[in-house]
Amino acid sequence: MPTTKPILVTGASGFVALHTIIQLLQQGYKVRATLRTLSREAEVRETISKHVDINDNLEIITTDLMQDTGWDEAMKDVDYVLHIASPFPLFEPQHEDELIIPAVQGTLRVLRAAHKANIKRVVQVSSVAAVTAGHVGENRTFTEDDWSKVENNIGAYQKSKTLAERAAWEFINGAENTNKMEMVAINPPIILGPVPNKDFPTSAEVVRTFMLGQVPGVGRIKMDVVDVRDVASAIILAMNTPEAAGNRFLGDIKFRVFCFPPF
């Protein structure tokens, strides 16, 4: 049976977070979701209400991954935190720290606030980008034991996800975690699926760009993808499965080969 306490979900307006919130509400959970600004609250509620009756089961509050304000309130009377918020831009930033600092500092801020509030378990949505990047020329099967090689000039996003997840595990396995708070990491590949609002996520934007013919042509490429609804289900399973504690899980990768002729 779902807990009577709310589940905290960070980054409520995001692609994965919206699907996760919808599934939580459908399963009878109460949800407390975070936004950087309440200016998007009405939009988020409208989007979610198209898929499930919200009633009084959704609370939205303001927090910022780069600010301490609001996190104590966010964690109040919560047992589980689903940390989904993380920047994923379409283009490389001017400087890698634009992604790395919010990802690393934001993750640690969430974990420290959760620890202070005696949270039982945090599920961190990481990425396969924290597993496979930088392994140049390695033709093999990657597993949860692998980490991206940040020293090999990988992209800013891949580096941010790797450093953020490593920092999270160092906190969980370190002396600062006196409460023995649990963590599970979910590492999906490119996430596609139904876009619930007008905000196309970076992954879907790539496909839409191809479909609209905005790229004159592209070579034969291979992408590992997973359905956003499966990712949301995996996040909830990671929260509920006792033996998942202390593990990271690669997403259910389904390989697809796309061949786009010139338009």
Side-chain angles (χ1 to χ4, degrees):
M1 293 294 292
T3 175
T4 58
K5 296 182 179 180
I7 308 299
L8 180 64
V9 179
T10 66
S13 61
F15 182 41
V16 176
L18 283 170
H19 277 277
T20 304
I21 292 169
I22 289 168
Q23 288 193 23
L24 285 168
L25 293 173
Q26 288 173 337
Q27 294 177 30
Y29 289 96
K30 293 183 178 181
V31 177
R32 179 179 298 152
T34 72
L35 287 172
R36 280 184 295 176
T37 169
L38 290 183
S39 64
R40 301 199 63 182
E41 179 178 4
E43 171 197 338
V44 168
R45 287 185 177 275
E46 180 182 2
T47 297
I48 294 171
S49 65
K50 293 177 182 178
H51 302 272
V52 62
D53 290 332
I54 294 176
N55 298 319
D56 295 324
N57 293 325
L58 176 62
E59 176 188 4
I60 297 180
I61 64 173
T62 304
T63 59
D64 189 318
L65 290 177
M66 296 303 293
Q67 303 289 334
D68 291 332
T69 305
W71 287 107
D72 287 347
E73 178 186 353
M75 301 289 173
K76 187 177 180 180
D77 297 323
V78 167
D79 284 335
Y80 301 100
V81 175
L82 310 183
H83 180 40
I84 303 176
S86 184
F88 182 18
L90 186 59
F91 302 103
E92 281 285 308
Q94 289 187 341
H95 194 283
E96 63 181 12
D97 282 347
E98 293 177 32
L99 293 184
I100 293 172
I101 291 176
V104 175
Q105 292 188 7
T107 294
L108 290 175
R109 180 167 281 107
V110 169
L111 287 174
R112 288 184 174 122
H115 183 268
K116 180 180 178 182
N118 292 309
I119 300 298
K120 292 180 180 178
R121 179 178 293 187
V122 175
V123 178
Q124 180 180 359
V125 179
S126 183
S127 171
V128 73
V131 176
T132 61
H135 293 270
V136 181
E138 296 185 34
N139 184 16
R140 62 181 177 86
T141 299
F142 290 87
T143 73
E144 288 85 353
D145 293 327
D146 290 301
W147 286 92
S148 292
K149 297 181 177 180
V150 296
E151 68 274 13
N152 282 355
N153 194 31
I154 63 177
Y157 174 73
Q158 291 88 340
K159 193 171 183 179
S160 73
K161 298 303 287 188
T162 305
L163 294 177
E165 191 189 342
R166 278 198 175 279
W169 285 118
E170 288 172 5
F171 177 90
I172 291 296
N173 296 321
E176 194 172 350
N177 185 16
T178 57
N179 297 340
K180 303 303 179 183
M181 182 173 68
E182 299 174 346
M183 193 181 92
V184 183
I186 301 294
N187 297 67
I190 297 171
I191 303 173
L192 300 177
V195 179
N197 56 14
K198 296 180 181 179
D199 291 341
F200 267 66
T202 296
S203 55
E205 187 64 40
V206 172
V207 175
R208 185 171 74 161
T209 298
F210 290 149
M211 299 302 293
L212 291 175
Q214 295 174 348
V215 177
V218 66
R220 189 173 179 84
I221 60 175
K222 182 169 68 175
M223 298 190 296
D224 47 323
V225 303
V226 66
D227 192 296
V228 64
R229 292 162 293 189
D230 291 337
V231 175
S233 296
I235 292 169
I236 297 171
L237 281 172
M239 175 185 75
N240 283 329
T241 307
E243 57 268 31
N247 292 293
R248 58 202 304 244
F249 295 92
L250 294 180
D252 179 18
I253 299 174
K254 302 183 185 304
F255 289 99
R256 298 288 184 266
V257 177
F258 297 89
C259 184
F260 295 95
F263 292 97

